[in-house]
Amino acid sequence: MTTVSPDRIEDVVAAVREHSRVVAHGARTKAPLVAEEPGALYIDTTRLRGVVEYDPGEFTFTALAGTPLSEIQALLAENGQHLPFDPPLACAGATLGGTVAAAINGSGRLRFGGVRDFVIGVRFVDGTGKLVRGGGKVVKNAAGFDLPKLMVGSLGRLGVLIELSFKVFPAPPAWRTIRVKCAGVEDAVTVMAELGRRPFDLEALDLEPPGTLVLRVSGDEAMLDVHAARVGAATGRPFEVVAGADEEGYWQGLRDFAWAPQECWIAKVPLTLRRLPELERVLAARDIARRYAVAGNVAWLAWPVERPRTELDLAGLSGLFVRGPALDGASPWIGPTNVGAAIFARRVKDALDPDGRFPPLVPDVRAVSAAAS
Amino acid sequence: MQHRIPIEELGAHGRAMADAAAMCVHCGFCLPTCPTYQVLGEEMDSPRGRIYLMKGVLEGELDARAVAAHVDRCLGCLACESACPSGVPYHRLLLPYRAATADKVRHPFLARARRRLALSTLPYRRRFRIAVRAGRLTRRLRPVVPAALRPMLDLVPDRLPTAEPIPETIPAVGARRARVALLIGCVQEVLEPEINRATIDVLTRNGVEVVVPGGQGCCGALGWHVGEIDDARMHARRLLSAFPRDVDAIIVNAAGCGSGIKDYPLMFAGQPEEAAARELAERAVDVSVFLDRLGILPPPPLEAPLRVAYHDACHLCHAQQVRSEPRRLLRAIPGLELVELDDGERCCGSAGTYNIDQPEIAGELGRMKADAVRRTGADLVALGNIGCMVQIRAHLGANGKGRPIPVLHTVQVLSLAYAGRLTSVLPPRGDADGDRCRAPSPVPARAG
Amino acid sequence: MAPINELIRGLRAIVPERRLLLGRAQLAAYESDALTAFAVSPTAVVLAESADEVIRTVRLCHDLGVPFVPRGSGTSLSGGSLPIEGGVIIALNRLNRILELDPDRRIAVVEPGVINLHVSRAAAPYGLHYAPDPSSQQVCTIGGNIGFNSGGAHCLKYGMTANHVLGLKAVLATGEVVELGGDSLETIEPDWTGLFVGSEGLFGIALEITLRLLPIAESSYTILAGYDTVEAAGEAVARIVAAGLLPAAMEIMDAIAIEAATAAVHAEYPPGAEAVLIVELEAPRDLLEAERRRLDDLIRESGAIGVHTATSPEERAAIWRGRKSAFSAVGRLSPDYLVQDGVVPRSRLGYALRRIVELSREYGLRVANVFHAGDGNLHPLILYDGQREGEFERAEALAGRILDLCIELGGSITGEHGVGVEKRAFLPRMFAPDDVDAFHRIRLAMDPKQIANRGKMFPSLRELGAGSVAEHPPMVEAL
């Protein structure tokens, strides 16, 4: 396996042009997502780093894809700003590009949105070796196709990310966490559904199975306790409000996936409240470490490395292994592929990577789209 | 919007039509408020589309006959004018356009016959009475009557009320605060004479002397709204000289007539009567506006609470922008709960002779209005236009659905409230004779 | 292209006669949308009533190589639903059903003809609403919003259309039906839905759209402040943003726009104000007070000459009615106008406005300014009289200079109206040839025959070779 670590954009472009198979990666904090392609050139983008532009008054920044999240977050924090999609794995060294390519959001994305809702511009090298720009550096932009959004979740299969522009928000002055004791999963789902309709501006709404809801609110210190107490009382269940270092520590732990045992793969499973009870039944039966976030829109689970991955049953849902040991060429996807999107996906892939320089989107998407047409 | 309308070739109305078309910026804000767009869902039957098409005809780009069906379907309700942010005075394009193209468009024979029949009976009280009686006889022959004429038959009432003739002057009760002339209208005086009597009652109780000049006829609005401008002017000319000068206002209690008279300056643009027309239009005022400005004596409290739904007649709320005055008058009655109708400003389908000319659309709109009324759980509907009264009564009573709901003019409600007899208007529980419900005549106010 | 007879025969097999418009007058009504500078008569208009009819029409068009243009309410300000000569308009306004509304998952699944505001109306009983609020929301359709990634005053805090679409089902120009995304906020594939939204109808037609609903804000605080210069209003915005407040909306209107809105809806503005700033805060009840006080202080320090505070929902609605009617209300001041939609970095707003004043003098045309100050999205309204010789051409040239200014300042040629017909000549000025080429490759992959909304977004060949000043885009165009 040959790896190069360019620190200039033109070297990345050259590397793509000169090789017929290319796999790009960042800090490999999400190793299962780095494709195994024997004979491919691996491009390590971690030296392609640095914040290129940042005007705190504009609430936007542009940075090279290999920039560590931690560097960006420190810079933003100095100016009272933050990334509203709450990306995990900053401490583990995750890069901005890797976060975008993997579409990994934290629990705090509930209020304002995920990576896709904050990325405003992208430069990437496409499969023909061209350096392409989409979007721009301003927060409102309807010109051209939305390539920045397309790149979110593209896992290096549509292009090598070079530079990204983001919009950011002011960082809230203070936080409170509210822990709510529900009777069980069904009860928790009921409470989540009701909370979701209330105008409480929840920053996070997680579920620690079987029945503990963990909420987060933010705002000015003065009335925050009153607000938090009101939110807790609105659930009609026993609750407690937490503040201070422990409060921050809890959420930081989540960003590091501290709840997951060592020696496991962590999988992300997109979800809705409707399917949550079903998934919970299946996972609970297998005694798998798990938690639910974003008001039941995602499940995170930890699958022990010694168990065969084929045994992982997601009750018919689809998932993606995002963290853990490398998969040795196996697909990181779990469960059924999205057949409905296959034709569309195939066409975008053919347009941006006609020669197949980058890894395939989903294994045998060609066969899938042939079956669907 | 850019246009190439040859204004000079279009006579006195050219400028009005061109200016209206020019103001339209094609933004489409009128579409959701247009009843025909809501029902038919196509651009040609929306105000924006009609403006574009009429402009095309006036420019010589489009054939008036190709556009006629869409222009005919316009209710003239002017909901678009209320919605338009650019302030396009749509009626200043529509009505002169209809007049200008009337002779270019040859409607089918039966439609023309129907139009002739309507215009030669409705404006003439005696003829209209005769026609109604004949209609009642002809009703049995409905199946053999051509479809185009059936809607007229369907609107004929079962019986015509009788009423004492109105004296020329009715003095105020107590100290005189004002003196007005009353337009008694044509169709209204035949189908629901109580409206005029209630008008007089409420005015006189509030210290207003009412003069009812003889020789009044139709105001011409019926013909004006459908493009029969010669017919309209003929009726309007008579009215121009019918009213005395020494009155504070000319009271109109039918929204259709009020809006028609407000259009007199446009109707007579470039004509010798233009100045007189403008003068009359300025002196005319809807009865609700006059009473609201005057300040009425508080009516006594109702014997029992009453829920009343107020229906906005298009020619009051859109054409004359009169909305709050009738509501304030009704709310002045203690014990009266005023409720709003869903989509309250949407036309009921009456629109002059529309329910005769376009029965399917009118029927759909009438049904929607009746459903909205029933949804409020109201005991009674109040409104300010005879055409709406006929249409809404017909649709509330249709299929004998639900309990009967009386429909009254705002002044009838006030008059009955003053007499302490409003609640007696309600049918006893179990009475299924919906549209046969008629208001009892108001007790005439005592003179002196 | 196939002969017209074959097209009409094929269309007759899909919709009944009364929903297939072929007559000259009927077609004329569909000649343009809210960009009235251009009018093209289509060959036919199909008033579709079902997704099936839309799919069959697209497939027929594809088989015969006939271009088609989807149309909602025809309110596009960039010519997005301008017909193509020889092409078919597929009217979607009758596909207006809300198929599902789930308050637990907080989603609504709608057909493309559903009016934007109707989604919020349907969600209101559950305490929810659909956040993107273009000024035309009482008439524009979700399908149109999808095509152009529409914004609105409240997208400063809540995002644009794309941020509220979780998934959609669409028929591609080649006739296949695809399903992108789903009903979850999270995904494990590239953001296909995000690529489709804002693709200006060049990929195909959305048939079912899953929208995200948000809780209706509990309490709001809306103020309208008058300033004696636009720059002062812009300065106030910069202070508010720098203070770390995140208002739900921040809008500025200049003197001409104020004049129009006053005439149109009798809005009330502080006397003598050359510019007004509208700021709206939304927060849970207990948290609003602190924000409100901060805002009041900032406004006071900003030198406002008059401040109205909305003390009731009616007053709040009245303030917004003035702002939302401003575009169309300008129709009272001038027979014609061009609405622009440029974006500049917020810090350059003052400079951009000064330049616009200079340019308007240079071209001898008045320019009204309404804009989403919070995100630097300008809407200059160039007033002109098409009856006067050369005025339209001058207006277009001025429009081009303003777009160049936005590009020069590192902004965008369109914030929310899309490129459409109007600005297609500028796409290559904002993006490099390799960028436009990538867009083109994607477009050709979706629509090899280029029949879906042909003539939109991409410049014509003639425009590519035209040089730096935008020429009047020809109305009949094949790439």
Side-chain angles (χ1 to χ4, degrees):
Chain A
M1 189 208 288
T2 323
T3 305
V4 296
S5 305
D7 62 354
R8 295 183 312 163
I9 295 174
E10 45 269 47
D11 295 334
V12 178
V13 175
V16 173
R17 286 196 188 146
E18 288 157 18
H19 292 81
S20 59
R21 310 291 292 287
V22 168
V23 179
H25 63 79
R28 299 187 69 108
T29 56
K30 299 172 274 289
L33 299 178
V34 181
E36 293 263 335
E37 300 270 321
L41 174 75
Y42 280 73
I43 302 180
D44 177 335
T45 59
T46 54
R47 289 181 67 219
L48 194 72
R49 57 184 286 173
V51 174
V52 170
E53 261 176 65
Y54 174 44
D55 179 353
E58 287 301 321
F59 283 76
T60 58
F61 74 87
T62 299
L64 294 169
T67 312
L69 282 178
S70 54
E71 184 180 319
I72 294 169
Q73 287 172 329
L75 182 59
L76 293 174
E78 278 168 33
N79 292 277
Q81 298 177 358
H82 77 155
L83 296 172
F85 49 95
D86 190 28
L89 299 172
C91 291
T95 62
L96 188 63
T99 302
V100 170
I104 295 291
N105 305 303
S107 297
R109 69 140 292 169
L110 174 66
R111 187 169 176 197
F112 287 119
V115 184
R116 73 182 291 273
D117 300 302
F118 287 91
V119 62
I120 58 177
V122 68
R123 281 209 296 164
F124 64 97
V125 184
D126 76 3
T128 66
K130 299 228 184 80
L131 187 58
V132 176
R133 179 171 75 86
K137 295 186 172 161
V138 282
V139 304
K140 289 236 1 224
N141 194 345
F145 295 142
D146 204 333
L147 299 185
K149 287 209 180 56
L150 176 65
M151 288 300 144
V152 177
S154 61
L155 295 173
R157 321 257 164 158
L158 298 175
V160 178
L161 297 176
I162 297 294
E163 185 184 272
L164 295 150
S165 299
F166 272 82
K167 77 172 183 182
V168 298
F169 274 172
W175 303 86
R176 293 290 185 276
T177 293
I178 307 146
R179 299 183 67 85
V180 182
K181 198 127 207 63
C182 299
V185 168
E186 307 280 352
D187 189 39
V189 166
T190 305
V191 176
M192 276 200 277
E194 284 164 13
L195 278 177
R197 286 198 285 283
R198 305 294 297 275
F200 291 148
D201 283 353
L202 297 178
E203 298 274 351
L205 178 50
D206 282 13
L207 168 62
E208 283 169 10
T212 304
L213 288 178
V214 192
L215 288 59
R216 206 175 193 205
V217 293
S218 73
D220 200 73
E221 186 68 55
M223 290 295 277
L224 199 49
D225 286 309
V226 172
H227 179 58
R230 178 180 171 221
V231 173
T235 65
R237 309 288 186 275
F239 70 94
E240 59 158 340
V241 177
V242 184
D246 286 343
E247 195 268 347
E248 173 54 38
Y250 173 80
W251 296 98
Q252 186 50 46
L254 289 183
R255 292 180 199 117
D256 301 326
F257 293 100
W259 52 273
Q262 301 282 42
E263 301 304 310
C264 70
W265 284 290
I266 296 178
K268 169 184 172 183
V269 183
L271 193 58
T272 62
L273 281 182
R274 186 177 281 187
R275 303 291 299 271
L276 196 158
E278 199 184 328
L279 179 64
E280 168 62 10
R281 257 193 306 281
V282 159
L283 296 177
R286 295 292 180 83
D287 193 32
I288 296 162
R290 65 207 181 276
R291 62 180 292 129
Y292 301 92
V294 193
N297 274 274
V298 69
W300 295 99
L301 59 98
W303 185 259
V305 297
E306 64 272 12
R307 289 165 78 168
R309 288 192 303 280
T310 44
E311 278 180 21
L312 176 49
D313 169 18
L314 294 177
L317 293 160
S318 305
L320 183 69
F321 284 118
V322 302
R323 186 156 168 77
L327 291 175
D328 298 324
S331 161
W333 280 281
I334 313 157
T337 42
N338 184 358
V339 174
I343 296 168
F344 191 88
R346 173 86 259 151
R347 293 195 183 167
V348 175
K349 174 73 167 165
D350 284 346
L352 290 179
D353 185 24
D355 306 319
R357 265 196 173 79
F358 306 129
L361 272 169
V362 179
D364 59 63
V365 74
R366 238 179 266 267
V368 169
S369 64
S373 57
Chain B
M1 200 165 34
Q2 297 184 35
H3 71 81
R4 288 183 309 279
I5 298 173
I7 297 173
E8 327 68 46
E9 292 169 28
L10 293 167
H13 285 149
R15 175 112 299 227
M17 292 192 285
D19 284 353
M23 279 178 86
C24 173
V25 294
H26 218 246
C27 70
F29 274 52
C30 50
L31 263 60
T33 62
C34 174
T36 61
Y37 184 76
Q38 285 175 38
V39 169
L40 300 171
E42 44 185 43
E43 183 74 19
M44 306 80 67
D45 286 298
S46 73
R48 177 176 67 174
R50 288 186 179 116
I51 290 172
Y52 201 82
L53 295 179
M54 288 190 275
K55 171 178 88 82
V57 171
L58 294 172
E59 286 170 339
E61 294 289 320
L62 296 174
D63 188 332
R65 285 167 299 181
V67 159
H70 306 298
V71 175
D72 286 347
R73 279 193 213 126
C74 174
L75 288 152
C77 71
L78 306 184
C80 51
E81 286 195 13
S82 289
C84 178
S86 304
V88 174
Y90 176 81
H91 72 284
R92 293 176 68 85
L93 170 60
L94 175 75
L95 301 177
Y97 174 90
R98 278 178 171 164
T101 55
D103 54 2
K104 297 195 183 65
V105 180
R106 205 104 172 104
H107 287 105
F109 172 73
L110 282 174
R112 277 183 287 131
R114 185 178 60 208
R115 172 70 53 83
R116 272 283 103 233
L117 192 56
L119 289 177
S120 56
T121 52
L122 294 168
Y124 305 94
R125 283 172 238 131
R126 213 154 22 116
R127 281 190 222 169
F128 184 44
R129 266 195 202 96
I130 296 169
V132 168
R133 287 190 198 115
R136 288 211 301 273
L137 290 170
T138 324
R139 271 237 282 260
R140 279 174 230 132
L141 300 172
R142 190 183 186 279
V144 304
V145 167
L149 298 176
R150 276 188 212 143
M152 298 184 82
L153 276 187
D154 292 341
L155 284 166
V156 169
D158 291 325
R159 56 176 180 272
L160 278 178
T162 52
E164 291 296 308
I166 304 175
E168 277 227 8
T169 308
I170 304 97
V173 173
R176 194 177 86 173
R177 298 162 66 196
R179 185 175 133 93
V180 301
L182 175 65
L183 173 71
I184 58 170
C186 52
V187 164
Q188 172 173 276
E189 178 63 6
V190 174
L191 290 181
E192 191 81 5
E194 309 305 339
I195 295 177
N196 285 326
R197 284 136 191 83
T199 305
I200 292 165
D201 178 57
V202 173
L203 284 166
T204 52
R205 278 177 190 271
N206 280 283
V208 181
E209 179 173 289
V210 182
V211 168
V212 185
Q216 302 179 30
C218 169
C219 66
L222 280 172
W224 169 234
H225 286 145
V226 297
E228 295 286 342
I229 195 166
D230 294 329
D231 190 88
R233 281 178 181 152
M234 184 245 319
H235 290 293
R237 262 185 221 109
R238 276 203 221 113
L239 218 62
L240 286 177
S241 47
F243 292 98
R245 300 227 155 255
D246 59 338
V247 290
D248 300 315
I250 298 167
I251 303 295
V252 183
N253 54 17
C257 307
S259 112
I261 292 173
K262 290 287 169 206
D263 283 346
Y264 274 6
L266 185 62
M267 199 194 289
F268 285 99
Q271 301 285 306
E273 301 90 343
E274 188 173 351
R278 192 174 308 277
E279 206 229 345
L280 188 74
E282 275 157 26
R283 291 201 295 150
V285 65
D286 186 79
V287 62
S288 67
V289 174
F290 181 82
L291 288 171
D292 182 65
R293 275 191 212 139
L294 181 74
I296 60 169
L297 293 171
L302 296 175
E303 306 141 351
L306 202 63
R307 174 178 291 181
V308 174
Y310 177 73
H311 158 76
D312 287 285
C314 297
H315 285 109
L316 257 187
C317 76
H318 298 305
Q320 300 182 65
Q321 297 293 316
V322 172
R323 293 178 175 87
S324 52
E325 293 88 339
R327 288 174 165 85
R328 274 198 290 272
L329 293 173
L330 291 166
R331 281 204 197 93
I333 302 173
L336 188 149
E337 179 201 355
L338 193 63
V339 293
E340 299 293 329
L341 297 172
D342 291 337
D343 294 310
E345 296 199 355
R346 181 170 55 207
C347 185
C348 65
S350 167
T353 53
Y354 195 91
N355 47 12
I356 300 171
D357 295 326
Q358 304 275 351
E360 294 88 18
I361 299 175
E364 178 65 23
L365 294 172
R367 263 187 301 280
M368 295 203 288
K369 185 63 71 172
D371 285 344
V373 166
R374 283 196 207 95
R375 276 200 301 275
T376 61
D379 301 305
L380 186 155
V381 179
L383 42 68
N385 189 40
I386 182 65
C388 305
M389 183 179 269
V390 170
Q391 172 80 342
I392 295 176
R393 267 194 194 147
H395 282 276
L396 277 176
N399 309 323
K401 245 201 267 188
R403 108 207 110 78
I405 303 173
V407 182
L408 297 176
H409 194 291
T410 303
V411 292
Q412 287 176 291
V413 175
L414 278 170
S415 175
L416 289 163
Y418 277 129
R421 291 172 47 225
L422 186 54
T423 41
S424 68
V425 151
L426 301 182
R429 299 278 140 189
D431 179 346
D433 259 352
D435 64 341
R436 283 165 169 66
C437 238
R438 282 199 332 105
S441 356
V443 175
R446 300 215 188 288
Chain C
M1 225 200 290
I4 288 186
N5 295 339
E6 213 181 319
L7 171 68
I8 294 177
R9 224 181 6 254
L11 292 174
R12 283 202 168 110
I14 300 172
V15 285
E17 208 63 35
R18 67 192 152 78
R19 289 196 285 114
L20 176 62
L21 306 182
L22 300 169
R24 186 154 172 246
Q26 299 170 316
L27 298 173
Y30 287 86
E31 272 175 9
S32 60
D33 49 29
L35 180 66
T36 57
F38 306 110
V40 177
S41 217
T43 294
V45 175
V46 173
L47 298 173
E49 271 181 4
S50 71
D52 182 61
E53 286 175 358
V54 175
I55 294 168
R56 288 165 65 197
T57 305
V58 169
R59 287 183 181 162
L60 176 70
C61 288
H62 180 256
D63 289 343
L64 299 180
V66 172
F68 65 86
V69 175
R71 177 183 167 119
S73 296
T75 56
S76 169
L77 289 164
S78 60
S81 50
L82 181 71
I84 302 162
E85 191 166 309
V88 174
I89 293 277
I90 305 180
L92 301 168
N93 59 293
R94 294 156 91 108
L95 268 82
N96 60 3
R97 293 175 298 156
I98 296 177
L99 301 171
E100 186 185 352
L101 201 153
D102 183 354
D104 288 344
R105 284 179 293 157
R106 277 172 286 132
I107 59 163
V109 182
V110 305
E111 290 185 317
V114 171
I115 291 178
N116 175 299
L117 191 60
H118 290 186
V119 181
S120 287
R121 274 206 206 131
Y126 304 101
L128 300 171
H129 77 299
Y130 177 64
D133 61 337
S135 298
S136 57
Q137 65 180 149
Q138 47 197 323
V139 48
C140 66
T141 61
I142 294 293
N145 293 164
I146 297 288
F148 291 85
N149 197 9
S150 307
H154 287 78
C155 65
L156 169 65
K157 184 173 183 183
Y158 300 119
M160 301 161 66
T161 296
N163 306 110
H164 299 268
V165 179
L166 299 179
L168 55 92
K169 182 158 103 170
V171 56
L172 299 180
T174 44
E176 295 93 339
V177 176
V178 294
E179 291 183 33
L180 313 177
D183 54 357
S184 174
L185 287 173
E186 289 284 343
T187 57
I188 50 172
E189 32 174 27
D191 192 357
W192 308 125
T193 308
L195 178 67
F196 192 99
V197 178
S199 56
E200 307 209 5
L202 266 62
F203 295 168
I205 301 181
L207 301 168
E208 276 180 30
I209 304 115
T210 302
L211 302 173
R212 177 164 83 110
L213 303 172
L214 298 181
I216 298 171
E218 179 169 50
S219 23
S220 66
Y221 181 60
T222 309
I223 63 164
L224 186 149
Y227 293 88
D228 43 29
T229 61
V230 181
E231 278 89 343
E235 258 305 297
V237 169
R239 280 166 178 264
I240 292 168
V241 162
L245 275 181
L246 184 58
M250 278 199 283
E251 303 282 302
I252 293 182
M253 293 163 65
D254 76 355
I256 303 180
I258 290 169
E259 187 191 331
T262 306
V265 298
H266 311 295
E268 292 195 355
Y269 298 109
E274 287 292 301
V276 296
L277 167 67
I278 300 172
V279 183
E280 186 159 273
L281 300 175
E282 286 183 343
R285 183 186 73 202
D286 299 311
L287 300 177
L288 185 66
E289 179 64 23
E291 287 194 32
R292 197 179 62 67
R293 263 188 264 116
R294 299 261 297 291
L295 180 63
D296 283 343
D297 290 341
L298 289 162
I299 295 289
R300 201 182 9 256
E301 288 157 21
S302 70
I305 61 174
V307 181
H308 293 165
T309 303
T311 53
S312 69
E314 291 76 32
E315 284 179 25
R316 177 188 182 194
I319 289 176
W320 282 110
R321 211 176 310 126
R323 161 64 186 88
K324 292 197 173 191
S325 70
F327 285 8
S328 312
V330 163
R332 291 166 185 267
L333 305 178
S334 172
D336 303 291
Y337 61 86
L338 290 176
V339 182
Q340 296 237 275
D341 178 42
V343 183
V344 299
R346 207 187 303 107
S347 58
R348 312 306 307 276
L349 256 180
Y351 172 75
L353 289 163
R354 274 197 301 283
R355 278 295 293 143
I356 291 174
V357 170
E358 287 165 19
L359 286 168
S360 78
R361 281 200 204 111
E362 188 183 322
Y363 283 82
L365 296 168
R366 286 199 302 172
V367 179
N369 283 289
V370 177
F371 44 101
H372 308 298
D375 41 36
N377 191 183
L378 301 165
H379 291 305
L381 292 110
I382 302 171
L383 310 185
Y384 71 97
D385 184 349
Q387 310 275 43
R388 293 211 203 113
E389 179 83 36
E391 220 164 274
F392 173 58
E393 287 73 16
R394 279 212 321 277
E396 278 208 305
L398 171 54
R401 295 287 298 276
I402 294 175
L403 289 178
D404 279 335
L405 173 67
C406 293
I407 296 172
E408 175 196 318
L409 294 175
S412 173
I413 57 176
T414 170
E416 57 192 6
H417 296 169
V419 177
V421 167
E422 192 202 11
K423 301 181 272 289
R424 64 187 192 189
F426 288 82
L427 195 71
R429 287 198 237 183
M430 187 171 156
F431 290 102
D434 281 348
D435 307 333
V436 180
D437 179 65
F439 295 152
H440 217 259
R441 276 184 274 138
I442 295 174
R443 189 269 183 94
L444 285 174
M446 296 297 169
D447 181 16
K449 293 189 182 179
Q450 298 183 72
I451 55 171
N453 225 9
R454 176 189 297 175
K456 316 290 164 67
M457 197 177 115
F458 290 101
S460 66
L461 288 172
R462 171 144 60 99
E463 283 159 343
L464 280 172
S468 60
V469 177
E471 289 177 356
H472 178 121
M475 291 192 279
V476 178
E477 196 56 46
L479 277 169

